[in-house]
Amino acid sequence: SRSTTARHTTSDALLAGGFGGACLCVVGAPFDVVKVRQQQTRSDGASPSRIVRSILRAEGVVGLWRGVGPPLMVAVPQFALVFGSHEAARALISRHSTRPPGDGRDAALAGALVAVPTTFVYTPVDRVKLAMQSDGRRVASGLPPLYSSASQCARQLWRSGGAASFSRGFFATLARDVPGWASYFYVYSAAKRWLTSGGGVLDGTAELSPVASLAAGRD
């Protein structure tokens, strides 16, 4: 039945999104660490390669993944939530929409709805991640670390500011993610439609190759 198919598609999206989120987090963590260090340094001549060498000297290879624990723990449920809720929202919208299946505007609207639950999940974890990465700068400059682990960092943030400390930046994140996810899923759906030779890729009646899926996701 249609409802059974919708549940099956949503569960597939949850699993695929969770696995993809973990891969994204692990692969992107070193770049994120270098970016944060470069933004925090006072020297205009601190190139990415110089920052990488500084991290390797002071912290070893593991320093490139400093603070990855909190975002990794949240990446799996977050991206499972992203793609699962987008699939559910898309199915709901399609039942009330007069546009053809896979319409980009419907995909964008479903993407905008994704931002609400994910912002609740991501904002507190982002606070811990940034605090850990900032602490890494102290270590790189020869100072002792403030936090021994992500859990100890979270406890310290709670003691210093309570729940408000973890919700700081919530509305800025929401304002960023509503158009961000809407744009992402609009481009993603358009890219999948363009890359497939058939017309039913967005409603599940045509199959998209793994290479084409990667290219669509990259866009």
Side-chain angles (χ1 to χ4, degrees), residues 58-89:
E59 306 170 61
V61 176
V62 71
L64 292 172
W65 280 269
R66 184 174 180 83
V68 73
L72 181 60
M73 285 188 294
V74 80
V76 173
Q78 182 198 13
F79 279 89
L81 183 62
V82 165
F83 285 92
S85 59
H86 179 265
E87 189 63 37

Side-chain angles (χ1 to χ4, degrees), residues 33-44 46 51 54-55 58-59 63 66-67 129-147:
V33 168
V34 172
K35 179 198 72 175
V36 171
R37 298 285 180 89
Q38 190 173 30
Q39 289 174 339
Q40 292 176 339
T41 186
R42 297 179 181 178
S43 173
D44 294 334
I51 291 173
S54 174
I55 292 173
E59 306 170 61
R66 184 174 180 83
K129 181 192 74 172
L130 292 176
M132 289 290 292
Q133 291 179 348
S134 298
D135 196 35
R137 183 187 170 197
R138 287 174 50 86
V139 175
S141 64
L143 297 173
L146 292 175
Y147 313 114

Side-chain angles (χ1 to χ4, degrees), residues 123-171:
T123 301
V125 176
D126 197 41
R127 282 281 292 138
V128 176
K129 181 192 74 172
L130 292 176
M132 289 290 292
Q133 291 179 348
S134 298
D135 196 35
R137 183 187 170 197
R138 287 174 50 86
V139 175
S141 64
L143 297 173
L146 292 175
Y147 313 114
S148 59
S149 65
S151 59
Q152 194 265 336
C153 175
R155 290 194 299 269
Q156 183 63 33
L157 289 173
W158 179 267
R159 284 194 294 267
S160 63
S165 177
F166 291 96
S167 61
R168 190 176 301 168
F170 175 86
F171 289 105

